Amino acid sequence: MLVTLKDKTFEIYLKESEIKDRLKTIGQQISIDFKGQDLLVLGVLNGSFIVMADLCREIKGVSVQTTFLKISSYSGTESTGIVKEVIGLPKDLQDKNILIVEDIVDTGVSMNYLLHRLENEKPKSISIATLLYKPEAFRFNYQLHYVGFEIPNKFVVGYGLDYDGLGRELPEIYQLK
């Protein structure tokens, strides 16, 4: 199945059922890792909102709080390499277990920025969950604790990911054709 957004055509890459199954598995692991603890799930807007909602529903036996921040490093289909903080971090993160949820980690520039910002707040722990990870594009050495799928370094949309604001609502993930 093909989808056209503006001037680009995308083909199906990951089916909705594959995504949901993988998020269930990740949720089960998070439930084990944080059993009986408090967890602040920090979604990185805009892309993470669907992933975060579905993942949170799969976490059991953990006291979950949610919040969001918004940072940006993309223009069109390319990373600019410059991170802008649009909506900042919530207050009082000291001594909290923080789970950052991302839709995708590719170059890692945005996450690297966020990790440095969070470390200054002195949380108890910081973990990263991402639906998609592009190892070919990744430029850092920090750990991604929960990874849904490793994918090639191609542009993708759907399931929260967009192309110039379009395609976030697609229930599957599509790759640029």
Side-chain angles (χ1 to χ4, degrees), residues 2 9 35 40 44 64 68 78 86-87 89 97 129 141 144 171:
L2 298 178
T9 301
K35 184 177 183 177
L40 177 62
V44 182
V64 174
F68 292 94
E78 300 293 322
V86 182
I87 299 173
L89 288 172
N97 292 310
N141 63 358
L144 302 175

Side-chain angles (χ1 to χ4, degrees), residues 121-171:
E121 303 299 320
K122 304 199 180 346
K124 182 177 180 182
S125 70
I126 302 172
S127 301
I128 302 167
T130 184
L131 179 60
L132 304 175
Y133 168 54
K134 294 182 181 178
E136 295 169 33
F138 192 65
R139 302 188 330 215
F140 297 90
N141 63 358
Y142 53 80
Q143 181 180 359
L144 302 175
H145 304 85
Y146 310 98
V147 176
F149 302 93
E150 289 188 10
I151 66 169
N153 192 15
K154 293 188 176 180
F155 191 77
V156 290
V157 298
Y159 212 82
L161 295 121
D162 73 302
Y163 170 50
D164 280 348
L166 300 172
R168 291 190 196 279
E169 78 286 356
L170 298 169

Side-chain angles (χ1 to χ4, degrees), residues 49-118:
F49 76 105
I50 292 175
V51 175
M52 184 172 150
D54 287 349
L55 180 59
C56 283
R57 284 191 281 266
E58 299 297 342
I59 299 172
K60 314 288 188 223
V62 177
S63 176
V64 174
Q65 292 183 318
T66 60
T67 192
F68 292 94
L69 75 132
K70 185 172 183 176
I71 54 179
S72 177
S73 68
Y74 259 79
S75 178
T77 62
E78 300 293 322
S79 176
T80 64
I82 300 167
V83 178
K84 294 184 289 187
E85 202 166 307
V86 182
I87 299 173
L89 288 172
K91 304 274 188 265
D92 193 26
L93 298 175
Q94 188 172 344
D95 297 323
K96 294 195 177 186
N97 292 310
I98 299 172
L99 175 65
I100 304 167
V101 176
E102 265 283 26
D103 52 352
I104 189 166
V105 174
D106 48 30
T107 64
V109 170
S110 295
M111 185 62 68
N112 188 61
Y113 169 86
L114 182 54
L115 287 171
H116 287 298
R117 286 276 288 118
L118 282 170

